[in-house]
Amino acid sequence: MPPRSISDQLAAALQAERAALGKRLASLQERATELAKEQDLVKVRLGHIDALLHAEDIDRLHAAPSADASADHSIADDVVGLLREHGKALHYREIARKLQERGVTLPKGKDPAANLLAHFFNDPRVYRPQRGTYALRNGRDVQSVGTRRTPSKKGKRS
């Protein structure tokens, strides 16, 4: 067999590399499909776990209101219910608007949305992921943005 030219050798090497890369790509695509399926299963299981962890809260929301329940119900409960239904963080002005649409009476004052905020911002069920935005903790140990990790020494006199 006569010796091949350099261009023939280069073409053969490139063809071999192309075939190897094609096999590698097919393998990675198959693996990506398997990982996506596994990811979907994990998301479903997490959803089930969250539902079980909060089943008591859900049962309480769907139970017929009693005379005692109305006395214990607060604006913060309305906010938590709204956030739970939306499943995502909402700006406090949007929370106020949606509660008004539902017929919830907001606190009176110059700025009802700000007054509403004063009724729920310290609720342990709620945290602030961004300035002005509030979400449910859902049992997670998360800290609101802008909160201090240690007590401030400002204003303390010795």
Side-chain angles (χ1 to χ4, degrees):
M1 181 189 273
R4 294 196 287 179
S5 68
I6 292 178
S7 62
D8 289 342
Q9 291 173 355
L10 179 59
L14 289 173
Q15 288 293 337
E17 180 68 15
R18 186 177 192 291
L21 288 174
K23 287 180 183 177
R24 176 80 174 134
L25 179 61
S27 171
L28 289 172
Q29 288 173 331
E30 184 179 323
R31 186 169 164 213
T33 301
E34 291 171 5
L35 288 173
K37 288 178 184 177
E38 185 177 349
Q39 183 180 18
D40 289 343
L41 289 173
V42 168
K43 285 180 181 178
V44 167
R45 290 187 69 195
L46 281 171
H48 290 300
I49 290 170
D50 284 344
L52 289 170
L53 287 172
H54 301 292
E56 181 179 303
D57 292 337
I58 292 168
D59 289 344
R60 184 181 50 80
L61 287 174
H62 292 297
S66 65
D68 295 338
S70 62
D72 293 341
H73 188 78
S74 69
I75 292 176
D77 294 330
D78 291 328
V79 171
V80 168
L82 177 73
L83 291 171
R84 185 168 286 123
E85 286 177 24
H86 276 62
K88 64 177 184 174
L90 296 173
H91 193 274
Y92 75 94
R93 294 206 180 273
E94 186 176 1
I95 292 170
R97 184 180 55 78
K98 289 182 182 294
L99 287 177
Q100 278 183 319
E101 288 172 1
R102 292 179 175 195
V104 174
T105 304
L106 297 183
K108 304 288 183 217
K110 188 174 182 179
D111 186 355
N115 290 343
L116 171 70
L117 178 61
H119 284 82
F120 75 84
F121 81 99
N122 274 336
D123 191 293
R125 299 171 289 181
V126 177
Y127 79 105
R128 189 172 69 167
Q130 296 175 347
R131 186 175 177 187
T133 305
Y134 292 83
L136 292 179
R137 288 186 192 274
N138 288 333
R140 296 173 290 179
D141 185 24
V142 290
Q143 186 171 4
S144 294
V145 296
T147 57
R148 296 177 189 232
R149 297 187 193 282
T150 59
S152 172
K153 294 184 182 181
K154 279 185 176 179
K156 290 193 177 184
R157 295 183 179 156
S158 30

